[in-house]
Amino acid sequence: MTPTSNDLLRSSFAALRAEGLRARDAAARMGLSEGAAVAAHAVSPTRPAHPADSLLHAVVLDADWLGLLRGLEQVGEVMALTRNEHIVHEKIGVYRHASAQGPVGLLVGPEIDLRLFFSHWHVGFHVTESTPRGLQHSLQFFDRHGVAVHKVHARPQTDFDAWHALVARHHSPLPSPGFEPGEPLRTADRPDAEIDALGLGEAWAAMHDTHEFFDLLKRFQVGRLQALRLMEGVHTRPAPADATARLLAQARDAGVPIMVFVGSRGCIQIHTGPFHRVEPMGPWLNVLDDGFNLHLREDAIHETWLVSKPTDDGPVTSIEVFDRHGDVIVMFFGARKPGQPERPDWRALAFGLTSAPEREAA
């Protein structure tokens, strides 16, 4: 039988994975998105079964995203993974209390805390892969460009009867939808001179809640990093290149619990708590704690800013980290609940990173 193009893709992908490349990197080496590489392993009406020598098998899932996430509560402990180009955020726990309003989902549990943007969820797969550690099971979700928006990895403690029942309920009989080539287009910022900086500053100072910030950016048609730059000295301060490494080390040493926000286009994943193991390894800055891992390419950091936003509970301070395109890599906040003021130890730590005197938002 003459091998098909997908047969060749699968064999090339398996060879690269055997060399130790991560799935995302193996796909990139082949000139594919990760989603396209996974889709090449999916069953379809013309390929109803997997060849015995295929290391990776994929089953297309239906688009009942909320139903899938709610069903995960029954499978018990899993690992949630959200990443962007420069950072990986991994949390171990149970998916609890999934809900949604329209295309926006929310999942808030003691371990796994997610904000979900389903308009960017294009296709999901149940993926099994043979590895030196045995057969690995995961649910993987991709946007229309084939970029992973979120993944759920089974663990030894996972209830696999419940896992397989969930996959069976959400197995789609349809083939995988295609992916759009290239990366999502970035919207260029308007020139600074066209921004109503005075109005932006006044509206910023009038905020009552940090969640108003996104609408503020839309109202003034200003990019996030552009807004931070325009408000420098009033509501923001630049921080040096080593601010993130210092933040993690100082938070670990002082036992300051913080919130770590990492986002893809379709998901923001949040960790709340202290750190214990912070370990640089080459270009990677890692947190290697029980239940939480973070892997950051420190050489991808282009700008870091301290940001202060007024709220009804007092000022809320964040450290926001950007790449060379102006995209957010990661954001850090002090651990807090709605209705609680910000922790003084976090605020002191954050302002100390900028070597600027502490000052509350105007």
Side-chain angles (χ1 to χ4, degrees):
M1 180 181 293
T2 303
T4 67
S5 59
N6 270 358
D7 290 332
L8 297 174
L9 287 177
R10 288 189 290 272
S11 62
S12 297
F13 187 78
L16 291 170
R17 291 288 280 150
E19 293 177 13
L21 270 69
R22 295 185 180 275
R24 184 175 182 270
D25 298 329
R29 180 81 65 86
M30 297 165 60
L32 297 173
S33 68
E34 185 181 1
V38 172
H41 296 79
V43 295
S44 70
T46 58
R47 185 173 177 266
H50 300 290
D53 60 349
S54 180
L55 298 180
L56 189 148
H57 300 162
V59 171
V60 181
L61 302 172
D62 64 29
D64 180 11
W65 311 129
L66 183 58
L68 271 162
L69 295 173
R70 283 177 169 164
L72 279 170
E73 185 165 357
Q74 302 304 313
V75 311
E77 183 177 286
V78 293
M79 190 264 280
L81 186 152
T82 300
R83 67 165 301 155
N84 56 50
E85 187 176 354
H86 310 298
I87 192 167
V88 183
H89 188 299
E90 301 169 348
K91 282 285 289 185
I92 294 172
V94 179
Y95 279 62
R96 303 181 192 274
H97 313 306
S99 63
Q101 288 189 335
V104 179
L106 179 68
L107 199 145
V108 180
E111 306 100 3
I112 296 179
D113 190 357
L114 307 174
R115 308 295 178 267
L116 304 151
F117 310 104
F118 293 132
S119 60
H120 293 292
W121 289 42
H122 178 61
V123 64
F125 299 96
H126 174 231
V127 177
T128 56
E129 185 173 16
S130 298
T131 75
R133 295 175 295 151
L135 190 64
Q136 304 296 310
H137 296 258
S138 61
L139 305 181
Q140 303 189 14
F141 305 96
F142 298 89
D143 69 12
R144 68 180 187 273
H145 296 278
V147 178
V149 293
H150 188 59
K151 296 182 181 181
V152 184
H153 290 267
R155 289 176 48 78
Q157 296 82 0
T158 300
D159 181 336
F160 280 95
D161 288 339
W163 176 279
H164 292 304
L166 176 67
V167 171
R169 288 197 303 274
H170 291 279
H171 173 212
S172 172
L174 301 175
S176 170
F179 295 98
E180 296 180 15
E183 297 182 354
L185 295 177
R186 290 182 172 87
T187 302
D189 290 340
R190 293 192 299 151
D192 288 356
E194 295 182 10
I195 306 299
D196 178 7
L198 179 60
L200 174 65
E202 291 174 347
W204 189 314
M207 283 195 296
H208 296 274
D209 187 281
T210 57
H211 296 99
E212 297 173 22
F213 190 64
F214 181 71
D215 288 336
L216 182 148
L217 298 179
K218 288 178 61 178
R219 188 184 352 147
F220 286 89
Q221 300 178 52
V222 59
R224 188 182 192 100
L225 182 55
Q226 183 182 30
L228 304 192
R229 189 178 67 250
L230 290 171
M231 292 296 104
E232 180 179 349
V234 182
H235 301 293
T236 68
R237 301 282 189 279
D242 66 347
T244 300
R246 289 165 53 208
L247 183 159
L248 295 178
Q250 291 175 24
R252 173 200 60 198
D253 294 344
V256 178
I258 65 177
M259 303 177 76
V260 185
F261 289 66
V262 168
S264 67
R265 296 182 75 219
C267 180
I268 296 174
Q269 186 163 305
I270 305 165
H271 165 78
T272 302
F275 297 144
H276 302 288
R277 288 182 61 196
V278 178
E279 298 187 9
M281 297 179 187
W284 292 95
L285 184 59
N286 304 284
V287 176
L288 304 174
D289 285 351
D290 291 339
F292 173 57
N293 280 193
L294 190 74
H295 311 286
L296 166 65
R297 286 283 309 207
E298 198 172 6
D299 56 354
I301 296 173
H302 188 67
E303 295 188 46
T304 304
W305 288 80
L306 178 146
V307 183
S308 183
K309 303 183 186 78
T311 76
D312 289 340
D313 304 318
V316 170
T317 308
S318 59
I319 297 294
E320 305 192 2
V321 183
F322 297 83
D323 68 11
R324 63 186 179 88
H325 299 295
D327 294 331
V328 176
I329 299 175
V330 59
M331 296 189 293
F332 301 96
F333 292 78
R336 61 181 287 271
K337 297 288 187 182
Q340 295 179 347
E342 182 171 76
R343 294 175 60 100
D345 53 0
W346 160 252
R347 190 181 307 167
L349 188 160
F351 273 89
L353 298 172
T354 68
S355 301
E358 182 177 338
R359 172 181 170 183
E360 295 189 358

